Amino acid sequence: MMTTTADLTVTTPSDREILMTRLFDAPRELVFEAMYRPELLKRWLNGPPGWSLAQCEVDLTIGGAFRHVWRGPEGAEMGMGGIFREIVRPERIVRTELFDQDWTGGEALATLVLTERAGKTELALTVLYASQAARDGALQSGMKDGVAASYDQLDTLFAAQQAA
């Protein structure tokens, strides 16, 4: 299966994985920083319109934790957290992820790989779920639209940084 939402490509390389890829017109170091610095995350990791990243805590160390809480329309809230397992600056971050309302059937493992080519950076995010049912549930959740909207906001952030 492969779908594309604007510039985001979503594939299923195995029965438990989702791979999301997108090219950004920014150097890898900038993309890497945007993935973990709370002041930057709050500017782009908002999901679909009407949602915002209200709480953002990140301890980017091996064994360090992160916590994100989004707020949406009519007081809706969605939270998740996890632990950093591997950090290779500025190319790779591996972390666990678990939503407060565990709709994925347990912890997922997210692997972010950033590859720079001619000043542009390809972001590849692979999420390994506990089961095929959990992966399929994620695909049906509207996740693609939320990720695409957030990555569009990240594009806008990079454009503003480079213009400054």
Side-chain angles (χ1 to χ4, degrees):
M1 182 201 110
M2 180 172 127
T3 59
T4 302
T5 305
D7 298 320
L8 177 69
T9 301
V10 179
T11 59
T12 52
S14 78
D15 62 354
R16 292 176 40 213
E17 290 176 304
I18 296 172
L19 170 62
M20 294 173 276
T21 57
R22 191 172 192 291
L23 189 66
F24 290 97
D25 187 9
R28 184 165 70 169
E29 288 76 18
L30 276 182
V31 179
F32 188 86
E33 279 198 15
M35 295 296 125
Y36 77 88
R37 289 185 44 205
E39 65 273 18
L40 296 176
L41 287 164
K42 285 184 173 188
R43 292 176 61 188
W44 71 267
L45 189 60
N46 293 308
W51 286 81
S52 65
L53 183 57
Q55 180 186 346
C56 181
E57 299 162 13
V58 179
D59 174 10
L60 189 72
T61 58
I62 304 295
F66 76 94
R67 173 102 180 118
H68 299 326
V69 178
W70 292 269
R71 291 213 176 85
E74 298 171 25
E77 215 172 74
M78 180 177 70
M80 72 172 308
I83 303 294
F84 292 100
R85 295 243 179 109
E86 183 183 341
I87 301 158
V88 181
R89 292 175 186 264
E91 64 191 57
R92 183 176 166 92
I93 298 174
V94 179
R95 70 183 195 185
T96 62
E97 294 183 348
L98 185 62
F99 283 87
D100 294 354
Q101 284 133 355
D102 180 17
W103 55 271
T104 57
E107 209 169 60
L109 187 67
T111 302
L112 173 76
V113 176
L114 302 174
T115 308
E116 186 173 333
R117 290 185 192 91
K120 295 181 189 253
T121 301
E122 182 187 67
L123 178 150
L125 177 61
T126 303
V127 183
L128 175 65
Y129 291 91
S131 67
Q132 183 172 355
R135 182 208 66 184
D136 293 349
L139 286 169
Q140 295 161 7
S141 72
M143 170 195 74
K144 286 180 286 198
D145 293 335
V147 170
S150 287
Y151 285 171
D152 287 347
Q153 291 177 49
L154 183 54
D155 246 352
T156 301
L157 173 65
F158 290 144
Q161 285 180 325
Q162 290 176 353

